[in-house]
Amino acid sequence: MTTKNADIGLVGLAVMGQNLALNIADHGYTIAVYNRDPKKMVNFIEECKKNEPSHENVVGHADLASFVLSIKRPRKIVLLVKAGSATDVTINALLPFLEQGDIIIDGGNALWTDTIRREKELAAKGIEFIGSGVSGGETGARFGPSLMPSGTRKAWASLEPIWRDIAAKVDPKTGVPLEGGAPGKPVEGGFSCAEYIGPDGAGHYVKMVHNGIEYIDMQLICEAYWLMKNLLGMTAGEIGKIFEDWNKGELSSFLIEITGDILQQKDPMGKGFLVDMVMDAAGQKGTGQWTAANALELGAPANAIAAAVYARALSSLKEERVEASKILKGPVIKTEADKKEIIEAIKNALYCSKICAYAQGFQLIDKAQVAYNWKLNFGEIAQIWRGGCIIRARFLQKITDAYALDSRLKNLMLDPYFTQAMNDGQAGWRKVIALAVTNGIPAQGFCAALSYYDGYRSAVLPANLLQAQRDYFGAHTYERVDQPRGQFYHLDWPEAGRPQYEI
């Protein structure tokens, strides 16, 4: 292969790797590429030769040595390989050819603790390491993803020009994604959806939470669809048109947009709408599970995100559910007559639940920044999610605005805009959940989000009894409402008449 003085290198030529390489080339950078299977690399380069002149900037290498040596120093090498041990194997294969100051960028969905470990290990060898979340799927990688890099400021300064160039762009005032993006014609100007997140694993952590929010966002949309189908007897095509209409307002987002398209897609085999032929068993790759598990570890109340993970797990039990449906009975669903009113109530339920989902995500990130000694800019995080990524939505500009108004905002629901939205929408939200429960229609996401809202707005909860129980059987102590916080007491419960004493 011809050797050029490459600006950056990329290892891993699956679809994401190929598309990101083309995106980088479109912006005028020369990129060296390598794949473990050389046939995949050769085929990719042959395809590049058939396309735009900019793709002459993509240079293939059959061996790691020539690949690494072709890149300008400090070398910047992007990894888009399978997360976990495959990433470690790739790093170890690169190390013999690297020099001090070179930079490895992991663009996969890595566990943030692995990123922390890798940065420490590589720093000891004089190699910089950036863990960068990359969101947007195949199209985002090709025409502008949302990028969430973390590592040292020095490493970021070297990668920054390329990362900002290739990221999605939004209008800096409105947050609206800029139109454009085509082979050889990248979007120019605007706010770049690539921003330094923080040290070590912060970038991959924020990407993980992004995916957790994505899980609940998708679940809520599915529940809205399912309620319209079952309560109102609407066809997939009719519901698709509702989502099209919702995409023109406050619910405007990538997921709402594609839902409208999906629901109106006819089955290629001529059996009505395609969605009705798709098996109701959802898969998952693990990032949602990581989010829910870490929320438990840090004591963050992310019950709606967890509900979305559990909903996917429950859906996977298809055969069990089919058998259970023959045994376990529920109420007969009563079709609602007031179609317009119910659709509006479902819309309100979706928007209010969505606010809760993002509130939980940012609350979790806030807990993490304390636990991992990060200092994160929540407004910037919302802004880089505004374009390129899967959860991109008009709504995210409101989150950026909320943190601009109060950078120490404890919960998104306390921002005036979101408070008003919850006040305006909760009557419909509650009505929808009541209808779902009385008709036996599962709505795990809506219910979990409302429970979070009602719990968060309650000055008093039944945890007083719970803490008394803990003190009774385990001497775990309790605080008193008539004494200052931080003063703990214990009662020898089985011994009637014994006095309580301060611990």
Side-chain angles (χ1 to χ4, degrees):
M1 295 292 171
T2 303
T3 300
K4 288 188 178 180
N5 204 16
D7 299 296
I8 191 168
L10 185 144
V11 177
L13 291 174
V15 176
M16 282 289 287
Q18 290 186 21
N19 283 349
L20 196 69
L22 295 176
N23 184 358
I24 292 170
D26 278 347
H27 286 84
Y29 297 102
T30 298
I31 178 167
V33 297
Y34 170 84
N35 195 77
R36 185 179 60 176
D37 179 0
K39 288 183 180 178
K40 183 169 284 188
M41 180 274 295
V42 170
N43 291 338
F44 177 54
I45 296 301
E46 288 302 316
E47 284 300 314
C48 286
K49 290 177 181 178
K50 300 175 185 177
N51 297 318
E52 295 76 17
S54 65
H55 297 169
E56 294 176 1
N57 295 338
V58 183
V59 184
H61 294 269
D63 64 275
L64 278 176
S66 65
F67 165 75
V68 174
L69 292 174
S70 74
I71 305 167
K72 298 174 187 174
R73 297 210 61 218
R75 300 181 180 95
K76 294 173 282 290
I77 299 175
V78 181
L79 308 185
L80 278 172
V81 299
K82 190 174 180 180
S85 60
T87 301
D88 289 316
V89 168
T90 305
I91 290 170
N92 289 332
L94 286 168
L95 280 176
F97 309 107
L98 299 180
E99 299 174 73
Q100 288 205 349
D102 288 348
I103 306 163
I104 295 175
I105 304 108
D106 180 8
N109 274 331
L111 185 63
W112 81 97
T113 49
D114 284 345
T115 303
I116 293 172
R117 169 181 60 80
R118 288 170 185 142
E119 183 174 346
K120 288 180 179 177
E121 290 174 353
L122 289 169
K125 301 175 187 295
I127 306 298
E128 297 277 6
F129 186 76
I130 289 177
S132 181
V134 178
S135 180
E138 298 171 17
T139 302
R142 181 67 186 87
F143 301 118
S146 173
L147 299 168
M148 294 151 261
S150 60
T152 67
R153 287 278 186 181
K154 179 183 176 183
W156 167 237
S158 183
L159 178 66
E160 182 177 2
I162 299 176
W163 240 224
R164 287 199 188 282
D165 279 351
I166 69 169
K169 308 296 189 300
V170 299
D171 185 291
K173 293 182 179 179
T174 64
V176 175
L178 296 179
E179 295 295 328
K185 298 179 181 179
V187 176
E188 302 293 344
F191 174 88
S192 178
C193 295
E195 195 63 59
Y196 177 74
I197 301 297
D200 51 67
H204 275 139
Y205 188 90
V206 167
K207 174 57 164 59
M208 176 194 76
V209 175
H210 163 285
N211 286 21
I213 294 172
E214 181 184 311
Y215 270 54
I216 180 59
D217 212 346
M218 294 170 71
Q219 176 65 25
L220 295 171
I221 289 170
C222 292
E223 291 176 12
Y225 145 72
W226 203 236
L227 287 163
M228 281 187 270
K229 180 180 175 69
N230 287 282
L231 286 177
L232 303 176
M234 296 172 68
T235 67
E238 290 171 331
I239 300 169
K241 292 187 184 301
I242 297 297
F243 276 96
E244 268 190 359
D245 183 59
W246 286 354
N247 196 48
K248 298 171 185 174
E250 62 209 2
L251 280 169
S252 175
S253 70
F254 173 70
L255 287 171
I256 294 289
E257 178 185 352
I258 68 168
T259 299
D261 289 344
I262 290 166
L263 290 171
Q264 295 180 77
Q265 173 64 52
K266 293 293 184 67
D267 180 14
M269 296 178 68
K271 297 181 178 179
F273 291 98
L274 177 61
V275 72
D276 295 326
M277 295 294 107
V278 176
M279 179 68 68
D280 56 315
Q284 53 185 315
K285 290 188 175 181
T287 46
Q289 296 174 31
W290 292 351
T291 309
N294 186 245
L296 285 170
E297 183 181 347
L298 296 182
N303 66 315
I305 293 173
V309 176
Y310 290 135
R312 290 197 190 192
L314 186 59
S315 79
S316 70
L317 304 177
K318 175 63 177 178
E319 288 73 24
E320 286 185 44
R321 289 188 289 109
V322 170
E323 289 304 311
S325 70
K326 301 171 185 176
I327 302 167
L328 305 175
K329 301 302 177 185
V332 176
I333 296 176
K334 297 179 181 177
T335 305
E336 293 292 316
D338 197 336
K339 191 173 182 179
K340 185 176 180 180
E341 181 184 331
I342 298 301
I343 289 172
E344 185 64 22
I346 293 171
K347 177 184 177 183
N348 289 335
L350 180 55
Y351 196 55
C352 289
S353 297
K354 185 182 181 78
I355 293 170
C356 288
Y358 280 77
Q360 289 184 11
F362 279 96
Q363 204 168 40
L364 176 56
I365 293 172
D366 189 34
K367 287 265 190 182
Q369 74 170 345
V370 174
Y372 297 104
N373 197 29
W374 300 329
K375 190 175 181 180
L376 309 180
N377 187 319
F378 290 1
E380 284 184 351
I381 290 170
Q383 189 78 327
I384 63 175
W385 287 350
R386 187 67 183 84
C389 70
I390 302 301
I391 63 171
R392 60 186 182 268
R394 179 180 300 181
F395 164 91
L396 281 158
Q397 187 61 36
K398 296 296 185 183
I399 298 179
T400 295
D401 295 343
Y403 285 112
L405 186 66
D406 181 2
S407 62
R408 297 184 177 181
L409 185 65
K410 291 184 179 296
N411 190 295
L412 279 177
M413 296 188 296
L414 302 180
D415 170 74
Y417 170 83
F418 291 116
T419 299
Q420 189 62 49
M422 304 294 269
N423 289 341
D424 292 344
Q426 68 172 285
W429 190 13
R430 294 181 189 281
K431 179 175 183 175
V432 164
I433 289 175
L435 285 171
V437 172
T438 54
N439 283 282
I441 302 170
Q444 300 98 309
F446 284 160
C447 291
L450 182 61
S451 293
Y452 171 75
Y453 173 75
D454 282 338
Y456 191 75
R457 69 174 185 81
S458 297
V460 180
L461 290 169
N464 56 338
L465 175 57
L466 191 151
Q467 194 60 25
Q469 291 170 333
R470 294 183 74 241
D471 191 57
Y472 188 104
F473 66 68
H476 292 294
T477 75
Y478 55 88
E479 296 171 274
R480 293 182 57 92
V481 297
D482 57 355
Q483 298 298 320
R485 291 298 308 266
Q487 295 292 325
F488 293 89
Y489 298 85
H490 169 63
L491 184 70
D492 286 330
W493 297 86
E495 302 291 333
R498 291 286 295 274
Q500 65 180 335
Y501 50 90
E502 188 176 339
I503 301 300

